[in-house]
Amino acid sequence: MAYVRVWLLLIHAACTPALALQSDQAKSFSSAQRSGSDSVGACDSDDYEGPSVAAILGWATKAGIQHRHFHDYSNTAVRAVIAAHDVPPKTAVVNLPRNLALSIVMGQKSPFPSLVPEDIWKSCGENVKLALVLLRKAKRGQDSPWQLWIESLPHEVATLMHWSDKELQQLQLDSTPAEKEFYDQIKQQLADITDDYRRLQSTPLVSDLDISLEDLIWASDMVTSRSFVFPKQEAWWSPLAVGTAVVVAGLAFKAPFINRWQYSSQISAGCRYAFTACMAAAFFQNKYSTEGSHQVALLPVIDLLNHNSTSQGELQASRFSSSLRAVSGPHGFVAGQEVTHSYGDKSNEMLLQFYGFVEMDNINDMYMADMYEWTKQRHNVSEDRWHFLESDPLVMQELHQAELKKSGWSDAVIESLRYLFASEQETEAGSALDPLQWFQALFKYREIPNVMTAWKQELSEKTEQQVFQVLHGFCSHVIASKPTTLEADKKQLEQLGASTANNDKSRLALQYRITKKELLQSCVWQYDPAQMAP
C-alpha cells in the first residue's frame, strides 16, 4: 500500500494552488489590478470610461462565471469590489470555467498558423504570444464573447517602459551596478516588443487585422500586468490520469472476490510496473517541464480583485478541474471589506515595472545589491577564502544578488561574510561539521548540511563587527549617493497630497524612492557597528 500513499502525495503536488508567477523564464507573467482603500494598484487611468464593474459582473453571470460573494464598490478613480456578506476562510470568491480564460499553453504551436506562421510564433516571447491572442479576440468586436470584458481593460498602464529618460531619472537608479542593470532592463523591455512586432509585420495577422505597434504594446501591457501561469488541465491519457487508473486497477485485483482469478496476481504485478512508469513520468513532468504543461492566461472577473501583499488568497488551478477558483485567505472577509488578492512575493521593482504602481507597505519589498563586488573591492580578505566561496555557484549567486528586506540581509550574505572575516581559529573550528551541527542543520534550519552551515551562528564580537561594517558601510554609501534625502522625499510626497493622480509618474517615483531608502536606512540602524561596542 506504500505506493498508493506515494501516488496520493504526487497528485496533491499536482493540485496545489497556482499563484500569479514571475520567474526568470517568464518574467512578464502575473496578475495585476487596481488600487483600493486597503489595496494597491494604479494601473487604470483616471479618465476610464469603459463598462462599469456592475456591467462586467452581469456579463460574467450570463457567461457562467460564479461570483456571488461580492459587489461593485468603485468610484471615479478606483475600481474595487467588496464583500456582500461575511466570507468564510478558504471560500471560492470567483469560480471561472477554464474555457472562459483567454489562454495559451506555454510552448504550444501557433493557434492560427495561417495568420502567424510557426517559425515567427516560436520566436516571440510568451507574453507577446498571449497578446496576439488578445488582439485577435479584440479585433472581432461584438462577435467575440469576451468583447465587454476586453472593453473594460484599461487604455493604458503606467509601467516603466512608457517612461521617458527624464522621468526615469526621478527613480535615482545610478548608485550601484544593480540599480543600473534594473534601468537597462526597463529600456530593453520595450525594445523586445518592438523587435517582435518587426517580425510580425510580414504576417497576415498584422496586415489583415491592421494591428499597429501601439496595439501590440497595449496588449503586452495587459498580459504583463494581469496574467497568471498555472498547470493546464490533464487529459485522460496524461501520466497522472493513467497512473491513478492503474492504482485503482491494482487495488481492485487484490480484492478477495477477484483475487481468486488465476491471472489476477500477474495483472496486479503489471499494474505495479505501470504505476512506477507513470509515477516517474508524472514527477518529471510536474517538476522539470514548463513547456506544454502550463498555461498563461488572462482571467476575467478574477482580475477585478485588487492587490494586497498581506492577503493570503490564492488561485487554485487543479490539473483535474475544469475551473479556476480565486479562494479567500485563512481570515476570509467581513461584510463591507474590500475583496483583495495577492500576486505573490513581488518587490516594488516588479510592481512598478510590470504593473505600474508602488505599494508603500509592501511586506515583500527588497533592495538588491552585488555584495561580492562591494566587499572584494573595499575590504582586504585572503584570496584563499574568496576562492573557496567562488567554487560554490549557489553562494556566488546569493552574493551577486544579495537581498536586503525589512528583516535584514539574507542569511546567505551574513554567513558568507562571517566566513570571509572569521579568525583562523573560527575557520578551523568551522571547517568540519560535528554531529551536533549536522543535527542543527537538519532539524533547526531544515536543510541539508553544507559548507556554510557552520557560519549560521554568531561568531566573536570582532568578526561580527567586521560583518556589520561591510553591511552598514554599503547602505550608508548608497544613501549618501542619492541627490535627495529620505526626509525630503517624504515631505515632497506629503506636499503633493491629493493634487495628483495615483498613477502620476512623479508620485510613483517618490513612492519608489521612499520605500528603497527606508530599507537602506533600516540597514544603517540594524547593522550599526557602534551598537556592538562594549
Side-chain angles (χ1 to χ4, degrees), residues 21 42 45 118 124 383 420 457:
L21 303 178
S45 57
E118 179 63 25
C124 295
E383 284 297 322
L420 288 174
Q457 299 182 10

Side-chain angles (χ1 to χ4, degrees), residues 268-332:
S268 181
C271 286
R272 287 197 295 272
Y273 290 124
F275 159 77
T276 302
C278 290
M279 184 174 68
F283 174 80
F284 282 102
Q285 181 189 60
N286 189 54
K287 187 170 182 66
Y288 298 108
S289 174
T290 300
E291 293 192 353
S293 64
H294 286 71
Q295 288 179 271
V296 189
L298 295 167
L299 307 180
V301 181
I302 290 178
D303 66 0
L304 288 175
L305 306 183
N306 288 329
H307 168 66
N308 187 330
S309 64
T310 61
S311 173
Q312 299 181 44
E314 61 193 15
L315 175 69
Q316 291 185 347
S318 168
R319 291 184 183 274
F320 299 103
S321 175
S322 60
S323 64
L324 307 166
R325 307 194 316 156
V327 178
S328 60
H331 304 295

Side-chain angles (χ1 to χ4, degrees), residues 170-172 360 479 482-497 506-507 509-518:
Q170 297 180 67
L171 299 176
Q172 300 178 358
M360 294 299 290
I479 290 176
K482 299 299 182 183
T484 58
T485 65
L486 174 60
E487 292 71 22
D489 288 345
K490 286 183 175 180
K491 185 175 181 180
Q492 187 177 350
L493 182 62
E494 185 179 349
Q495 289 173 345
L496 284 178
S506 59
R507 176 188 293 276
L510 279 169
Q511 291 174 333
Y512 176 83
R513 280 154 38 188
I514 288 171
T515 58
K516 297 305 169 184
K517 290 175 184 177
E518 284 179 338

Side-chain angles (χ1 to χ4, degrees), residues 159-163 168 171 173 181-191 353:
T159 53
L160 290 179
M161 72 174 180
H162 298 292
W163 290 33
L168 287 173
L171 299 176
L173 298 174
E181 183 179 349
F182 178 50
Y183 180 89
D184 292 339
Q185 288 177 1
I186 296 167
K187 304 300 288 185
Q188 189 61 40
Q189 188 180 353
L190 184 58
Q353 182 178 5

Side-chain angles (χ1 to χ4, degrees), residues 68-208:
R68 64 181 182 277
H69 296 292
F70 57 78
H71 56 75
D72 185 14
Y73 189 68
S74 303
N75 55 43
T76 56
V78 172
R79 292 204 305 180
V81 292
I82 61 171
H85 48 258
D86 290 349
V87 179
K90 300 298 180 182
T91 299
V93 293
V94 181
N95 197 315
L96 174 72
R98 281 185 183 250
N99 64 338
L100 289 177
L102 210 60
S103 67
I104 60 169
V105 176
M106 295 179 70
Q108 75 170 62
K109 294 183 178 180
S110 174
F112 25 74
S114 61
L115 296 177
V116 181
E118 179 63 25
D119 59 331
I120 297 179
W121 173 267
K122 187 180 287 188
S123 69
C124 295
E126 299 296 332
N127 62 320
V128 171
K129 291 176 182 177
L130 184 54
L132 294 175
V133 173
L134 173 60
L135 285 172
R136 186 165 182 253
K137 299 296 183 184
K139 293 291 183 177
R140 288 179 59 186
Q142 298 302 322
D143 293 334
S144 170
W146 289 276
Q147 184 58 26
L148 188 138
W149 168 74
I150 292 173
E151 290 176 355
S152 75
L153 296 175
H155 303 304
E156 60 182 25
V157 182
T159 53
L160 290 179
M161 72 174 180
H162 298 292
W163 290 33
S164 67
D165 289 339
K166 185 176 181 180
E167 289 167 337
L168 287 173
Q169 287 176 5
Q170 297 180 67
L171 299 176
Q172 300 178 358
L173 298 174
D174 54 5
S175 297
T176 67
E179 289 185 354
K180 294 173 183 176
E181 183 179 349
F182 178 50
Y183 180 89
D184 292 339
Q185 288 177 1
I186 296 167
K187 304 300 288 185
Q188 189 61 40
Q189 188 180 353
L190 184 58
D192 289 342
I193 297 175
T194 304
D195 288 344
D196 283 338
Y197 182 75
R198 290 196 186 101
R199 288 190 290 270
L200 288 163
Q201 277 184 303
S202 61
T203 65
L205 179 70
V206 171
S207 56
D208 294 355

Side-chain angles (χ1 to χ4, degrees), residues 66 105 154 201 284 314 382 459 500 513 519-520:
Q66 299 175 14
V105 176
Q201 277 184 303
F284 282 102
E314 61 193 15
S382 166
L459 302 180
T500 56
R513 280 154 38 188
L519 283 174
L520 292 165

